[in-house]
DNA sequence: TGCATGTAAGTTGTGCACGACTGAATCGTA
DNA sequence: TACGATTCAGTCGTGCACAACTTACATGCA
C-alpha cells in the first residue's frame, strides 16, 4: 500500500530527520545543562567565548550563525548570570566586545562531563561521529551557498 | 597551536553541526514556504496531516515529536488559515481530531516544487540523501533511548 | 454509585530564532 | 570637510519549543 501512495512522507524527509535529531540532542543537553544553569544556545555561545573571549557580537554571530537580534538578549542573560561582561570598543564605538568573567571561566570545566555523557548516548564511534559532523557541516555550507534567488 | 589547546571547539561538536544544519535547512524552506503562507513547523505538521488526515493532537505529537503545548497554538494558526478543522471526538471527548480542509488539500501540490528546490540545493545524491536521513533517524532513536537518568 | 487515578488537551511563562526596523558610529568619496 | 552609504548592536513582533500547571473527562475499582 505504501508504494502506491503519492504523498511526500514525513519520515522520508531529510529536513524532518534533521529537525527531529537536532531537537533530540538539544533535549539531551537541556536536562544536563539545567544543573549548570545554562540553556542549550547559551552553552553554545559560551563554547565559542571560551574558545575566544572578547569577540564582538558580530563575530559571535558569525561563529554561531545567529543574528544580533537573537544574540543580544541571549548575551544579556549571560551577563545577568555574571558569566560574561560587555565592553564597548574604544576604536569603534558601534561594536561591543563580550568577555568571559572569572565565574564564566569557572563554568568551563563543569561542561566536560555533560559533553561526555551526550556523546556516549549517541552510541557513535569516533569515526562515525566525525563523519556525520563533517557531512552536516558540508550540508549547511552547500545549502547556504544556494540562496533561494539562485534556484 | 590548535593541537595544544584544551578547549572544546564549537566546530568539533556534533551537536552544533546538527543545530546549525537544521537551522540552515529550515531557513531554506522558510523563504520558499513564505509564498505559500506556511512556516516550517506548520509545513511539517501539514505533511503529517496530508499523510493521515484526522489524527488526534497526541498522534500528531507522536509523529512530529512535539508536545501538545507546542502543537495547540500551531494547529490553531493552521485552523485560522482555513487549512485544517478541529473536531472533538465523539467517543472520547478529551481528544481533538485534526482534519485537512479542501483548502488544505489544495495546498499539497504546491509544496512539491519547494521540496524539490531544497533537495536540489543540498547537492546530495539520492543515496547520500537516504544515508544521511537514516543516520539521523538512528541517532535520534539512540539518544532518546538513553534518558539522562540512565547515564 | 461514588471516588481515586490517570490521561488528553489547553494555558502560561521563559527563552530562542528570525525579519524588519532604529539609531548611532564610521567610512568613502568628492 | 561635508554627506550619503554602510555597518553594528539593539528593539519589536511573530512563531515555535518546552516545562509546569490546570481543566476536563474517562476508566477502574470498591
Amino acid at each position: 500500500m505504501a508504494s502506491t501512495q503519492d504523498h511526500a512522507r514525513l519520515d522520508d524527509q531529510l529536513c524532518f530527520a534533521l529537525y527531529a535529531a537536532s531537537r533530540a540532542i538539544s533535549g539531551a543537553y537541556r536536562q544536563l545543562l539545567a544543573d549548570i544553569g545554562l540553556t542549550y544556545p547559551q552553552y553554545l555561545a559560551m563554547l565559542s567565548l571560551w574558545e575566544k573571549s572578547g569577540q564582538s557580537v558580530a563575530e559571535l554571530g558569525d561563529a554561531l550563525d545567529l543574528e544580533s537580534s537573537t544574540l543580544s538578549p541571549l548575551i544579556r542573560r549571560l551577563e545577568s548570570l555574571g558569566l560574561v561582561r560587555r565592553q564597548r570598543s574604544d576604536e569603534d564605538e558601534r561594536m561591543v566586545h563580550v568577555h568571559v568573567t572569572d565565574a564564566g571561566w569557572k563554568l568551563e570545566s563543569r561542561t566536560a562531563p555533560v559533553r561526555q555523557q551526550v556523546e556516549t548516548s549517541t552510541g557513535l564511534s569516533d569515526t562515525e561521529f566525525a563523519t556525520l559532523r563533517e557531512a552536516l557541516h558540508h550540508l549547511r555550507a552547500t545549502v547556504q551557498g544556494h540562496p533561494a534567488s539562485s534556484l
Side-chain angles (χ1 to χ4, degrees), chain A:
Chain A
M1 275 322 205
S3 62
T4 64
Q5 75 174 40
D6 57 346
H7 296 289
R9 287 181 56 244
L10 184 63
D11 286 341
D12 288 347
Q13 305 303 310
L14 177 58
C15 67
F16 174 63
L18 203 46
Y19 166 82
S22 179
R23 282 189 305 105
I25 292 280
S26 81
Y29 270 102
R30 183 176 312 110
Q31 298 182 54
L32 299 167
L33 289 172
D35 297 335
I36 297 179
L38 289 177
T39 67
Y40 181 63
Q42 286 168 7
Y43 161 72
L44 294 176
M46 289 306 297
L47 264 189
S48 183
L49 289 168
W50 285 321
E51 209 176 314
K52 187 179 172 197
S53 183
Q55 289 179 78
S56 69
V57 175
E59 269 180 294
L60 201 52
D62 257 22
L64 295 166
D65 213 352
L66 288 172
E67 304 297 319
S68 71
S69 53
T70 300
L71 280 177
S72 287
L74 188 152
I75 294 168
R76 189 192 322 293
R77 281 173 212 117
L78 290 176
E79 191 172 36
S80 75
L81 290 171
L83 302 177
V84 304
R85 178 175 54 81
R86 291 159 188 266
Q87 182 162 38
R88 196 158 284 276
S89 170
D90 291 333
E91 304 97 46
D92 186 339
E93 295 188 17
R94 289 172 304 181
M95 286 198 283
V96 168
H97 294 285
V98 184
H99 298 273
V100 177
T101 62
D102 289 350
W105 288 116
K106 276 187 191 137
L107 213 59
E108 189 181 14
S109 59
R110 296 184 60 198
T111 62
V114 171
R115 227 166 2 257
Q116 187 59 49
Q117 287 189 18
V118 176
E119 282 178 21
T120 300
S121 80
T122 64
L124 297 175
S125 69
D126 287 358
T127 310
E128 290 169 326
F129 189 95
T131 302
L132 186 51
R133 186 189 62 210
E134 294 314 311
L136 292 169
H137 276 314
H138 183 257
L139 175 63
R140 169 162 71 110
T142 309
V143 170
Q144 289 179 335
H146 265 273
S149 57
S150 74
L151 291 173

